[in-house]
Amino acid sequence: MRPGEGLDALMSPRSIAIIGASQEATKIGGRPVDLLCRHGYAGRIYPVNPKAAMVQGLQAYASVADLPEAPDLAIIAVDAERACEAVEQCAARGVRSVVVFSSGFAELGEQGRAMQERLRVAARGSGMRLLGPNCLGAVSVAEKSIATFSIVLEHGMPAAGSLGIVSQSGNLGSYTMRLASERGVGVSRFITTGNECDIDIADGIAWMARDPATKVILCCLEACRDAGRLISSLEEARDAGKPVIAMKIGTSAAGQAAAASHTGAMAGSDAVFDALFARCGAVRVRSIDELIDLGHAASILLPDRLPKGPGIAILTASGGFGVLLADAAQSAGLTLPELGEDTQRQILELVPFASARNPVDATAQMSSRPDLLEKIMTAVVADERTDTVILPLPFSLHLPRLRSIYMNTLRNMRAQFPRRPIVLCVDGPDDALAELHALGFPTIESFDGCCATVAALVRLQAAAQRPQDKPAPVVRAAPPAADAFRHELGAKRALAEAGVPVLTERLVRDADAAARAATEIGYPVVLKIASPDLPHKTEAGGVVVGLGSEADVRRAYAQMCDRVATRAPDAAIDGVIVAPMAKGVAELILGSRIDPVFGPVVMVGLGGIFAEILQDSAVQMAPVSEAQAMAMLKSLKAFAVLDGARGRPRADLDAAAKAVAALSRFAAAHADTIAEIDVNPLLLRARGEGAVALDALLIPHGERPVGGH
Amino acid sequence: MRPGEGLDALMSPRSIAIIGASQEATKIGGRPVDLLCRHGYAGRIYPVNPKAAMVQGLQAYASVADLPEAPDLAIIAVDAERACEAVEQCAARGVRSVVVFSSGFAELGEQGRAMQERLRVAARGSGMRLLGPNCLGAVSVAEKSIATFSIVLEHGMPAAGSLGIVSQSGNLGSYTMRLASERGVGVSRFITTGNECDIDIADGIAWMARDPATKVILCCLEACRDAGRLISSLEEARDAGKPVIAMKIGTSAAGQAAAASHTGAMAGSDAVFDALFARCGAVRVRSIDELIDLGHAASILLPDRLPKGPGIAILTASGGFGVLLADAAQSAGLTLPELGEDTQRQILELVPFASARNPVDATAQMSSRPDLLEKIMTAVVADERTDTVILPLPFSLHLPRLRSIYMNTLRNMRAQFPRRPIVLCVDGPDDALAELHALGFPTIESFDGCCATVAALVRLQAAAQRPQDKPAPVVRAAPPAADAFRHELGAKRALAEAGVPVLTERLVRDADAAARAATEIGYPVVLKIASPDLPHKTEAGGVVVGLGSEADVRRAYAQMCDRVATRAPDAAIDGVIVAPMAKGVAELILGSRIDPVFGPVVMVGLGGIFAEILQDSAVQMAPVSEAQAMAMLKSLKAFAVLDGARGRPRADLDAAAKAVAALSRFAAAHADTIAEIDVNPLLLRARGEGAVALDALLIPHGERPVGGH
């Protein structure tokens, strides 16, 4: 089923049954009844409880079968065993959607997985959509459709707004909803998917992409069970102009281990998530604070006040705050363009002792004289050399005198500059903040948070604008020739067919043939042993370089055969490879492997020390286009090394990107047979002179390599 | 004067005069009068105002001369011109200390600097201490001595406590005081030093180090005017067992530019601040949030509940929170040791479906059954495989039912484990948080902030424990021989005398001498031109390597002389250096320069790509001991490259550290004559085989090099 289909009954139900409805409002089966009644849900509510005639003042029903109609939504708040029966009864009764709160399913191992499968079969068999099990349910704020037992609602409902929250973890989703409320950000929808036996995170994203009430989607996820669905839902949101702000947790080794034991699902490589979000236009954040800050700011600035670039102006009455913000801005990747001469002159005419370049430090004069404040702020906001104006007013709004000065000035700014992005670094009374939000000014208390958010807004705007560069569709190919898995020459021949550049090399089986091959290829040459049993050729004595004559080749051939026979008497020898010597200006390592979630992925990094010590590499789902491959290269920390830094020769980056793209197509086409590909090194020549794979290894499924090579 | 001396009159005055006292409580000259009266300052208050008999209900005096006694402290709240007179009058009257609020001094250029000098002369001449000018003054909270016009006190005084705040920026200091108040952290003292015409940040730190009311010192600084005083005050605080938590702003290029224009002072190299704080046992933080969180946590955990190491246990009722915290912990540098088998068994007996390794996810069971919660928490806290227990309870304390369960359990934990570090990741009602703080539990709302704080506490504990390794005292030396500035051989001879290892090399002036020298040295040799005018020897054709015979040397000598004469006809030629070829396993770049604040500093980095592209280098004030030099090497990102990573040979690190220390002593000894030293490369041989400086350049003061070499 296409992501997001069939969720209307869940999110906008006209009637809700609660199976396991309890008289006590604090119990799991009592809380939804209480919340629906208390907040005035307008649809019909049917408590189901075989032991009670009334529940919390409503008529109760003994079973699903006894209900006067098949409800749009049934909430299942009974233990796992009884939940299976209840779901089957709902399916039989024609219920359109169910939320299963109950835990005790796949997260507990084999028996639980079997019970969860029973839920899935019941739901899929009837077309009924199922949220959960082991989840905190769903809420539509404006409709007061409250199918959750989240304790954060004990505090009251969030205000209705345009922020949609979709989370695998119920607690993270709830916490996000609560923080949004505290920050005065209105929420449209809340969906927690738990074990995802039917409805998954992709359903939630795609449905919200089509939901008129939702403008921004916050997404918390730990794992991905179906990469294709996730991608398609993210693309749908992007195409609908709705930013997805994703917090993917389990980034650390410790976090991944915890997530695996918590969700029972493979997470997939965290680096691939990064690549996937970037490709689909989602903006990834690293903490819940960033998630909330960015959700808040985006929902206020959309649709037409997003910053167009990274240049900010800082306007402050305190030099110290200006310095602190400038530090925070630089570390977030923002820039501080110098303001125009006109702007600076205007500022200095108003306050001769101001710093006017940027940050603008208009000194305490600014906050003591409203007329100056307005003129200086007008000058700074009007200067379009910067994309966003940041105004730090840490505690000013708490002081009535300063509050009225700043609020008046900001109202005037909005009237004069209706579309200009202005972000306030401020805390203050709730009513002041609410007015600022209504005027279109995001407010963020922390200096770091403010700059991180503006930087993320710039990424969000860029993601929405980025032209879509789709990779070619995957064409499944027949398995490569058997020798592709036996030795490097076979591997390189297979890769060469796919477009990865290689040298002219020969496989020979005696010294005469080696000498003839060398003469054809041209001296000097290299001899390398060809054997499926010797991945470490050098250690086995199976590599000799720099052979300058026929005599050298003959002698080296004989000696190599002797050495290998002594050191590895049991190794199968396919022959000896004769190859030309090659020189270049840089080396890359390329490769692919099969990610348990994302399938074939392609990696590239600089060779030598960079890959070994600095773990500087880029990864993407295969296949990638040449443009995407180039983006991977540019994302390397040591990219400058390839691009002529400090007088180095510029490497042939176009050839490198072509090779990465070719390898990625090959990996995707052979994902059923090839588990891993290593090209080490891909030698890059100077710009315009190409690249060439010097060594390669293909590993079929079901085999682990002996080691590096 | 020794840092911190003579500040008692400022911080614990028995009488305070306010010069420029105003009837209006919101004016700068009215606010201190109002605050002192309102909050019940117990000493004598003398408003000075020539135009009023009474000010805010107190008898006023026409001038300083008219005061009935010489007050301990006078606050100067008049404009800059009148402030100079007032300070002179105070000095004449025998006032013991003054605070000058007035701006319009050194921050405004030449004329202001002259006026500031007048203040300094008046103060120094009489022994009166002077805070400011251009500052927000000082506060002693318990004594209600309020010598400030900071608007944050319009909101009320902070609670008295043990946190001392010393800040150059008045606004940053005020904001820090306000955030501390909001977080329920009591403050002992508040000092803002502004332009530091007399009292500087070092005075504030040193005085607080001796102040019985202060346990933890928060320090905000932008610049350092006297490195020696700063070091001595930090060491005094460390030796007194009082952690200094330093937020040095102006870390970015943009921030440094802003700080320079704001303070009128040179900041000094940010990297040297890092080194200096680390050496003096201060813990540096990067944001105001970290400053407050760490100040809060340290003041609660000191003296005997600081974590002893980086291992944390996470105990949660939510898998999602566990994953998020595990990510945050790893990125903060904390570790999650697996809990003991016993502990895990106990947990699983209580909650069979828990995750028990660490993070411990005891599921929602934990918060619904107080008996389970207590038993599980006891098991986790008792397990001493971890150093700190982190408990995420994001919104639980806001819900009365959960609040009582958690508070009871935590009271019992504290009774059972009085010294165990337990940090709560929680928000809640103020009274609940206050009780937790009194029980010795720091509370931090954000997940990232919680982990960053625990990691900083570990550094703080380590800094207090670290054995002190003092560098040898600087011995000023006679200037090096003139040829040290003319060519690399002269430079290396000077460095060799100081203990930097070099090769045996000869300076020759004809081909015969070159051939003789080569024969003595042993082939192959290198010839290098010796000229003060050719820093780029290679580009000038002035380097030939790999000369294997006398004939080769003669030919190369003649050709080199011709080439250089053609390419650089005006260059003064001192001769040609004959040197042996040398091989090693790694290359370092060493150097020194004169920092405008810190004086001679020594730097070391890996040669080649690492230094050029990754800017991977370490810096310290010179001189450093060999142990400190080794610590510099170990701090390099690419240290593993030197230390045998991935089968590479291990370089002779002891020899490298010796060379760094020797160069640093040389740089310190010659700081008056030598502006810059570059050794590039220092070749490192394999372990036990030494190191050798292959090329070197010394630049005297007043000369800029032509370029690299």
Side-chain angles (χ1 to χ4, degrees), chain A residues 252-267:
Chain A
S252 64
Q256 262 164 35
S261 89
H262 160 52
T263 63
M266 300 295 279

Side-chain angles (χ1 to χ4, degrees), chain A residues 151-152 154 171 175 178 250-252 261 287 289 318 327 355 394-395 398-399 401 446 448 609-610 614 648, chain B residues 151-152 154 171 175 178 250-252 261 287 289 318 327 355 394-395 398-399 401 446 448 609-610 614 648:
Chain A
I151 55 170
V152 308
E154 285 186 23
N171 280 307
Y175 187 48
R178 166 155 177 99
T251 54
S252 64
S261 89
S287 74
D289 297 324
S318 153
D327 286 348
S355 295
F395 43 76
H398 283 295
L399 304 170
R401 186 170 47 86
S446 110
D448 288 330
I609 283 170
F610 284 92
L614 302 177
R648 297 174 147 262
Chain B
I151 54 168
V152 308
E154 285 187 24
N171 279 308
Y175 187 48
R178 165 155 177 98
T251 54
S252 63
S261 89
S287 74
D289 297 324
S318 153
D327 287 348
S355 295
F395 42 77
H398 283 296
L399 305 169
R401 185 171 49 85
S446 110
D448 288 330
I609 282 170
F610 284 91
L614 302 177
R648 296 173 149 263

Side-chain angles (χ1 to χ4, degrees), chain B residues 272-298:
Chain B
V272 185
F273 272 103
D274 256 354
L276 183 154
F277 290 138
R279 191 195 276 201
C280 299
V283 171
R284 183 172 184 178
V285 293
R286 299 282 165 180
S287 74
I288 205 155
D289 297 324
E290 280 183 68
L291 182 73
I292 297 293
D293 284 343
L294 184 55
H296 159 78

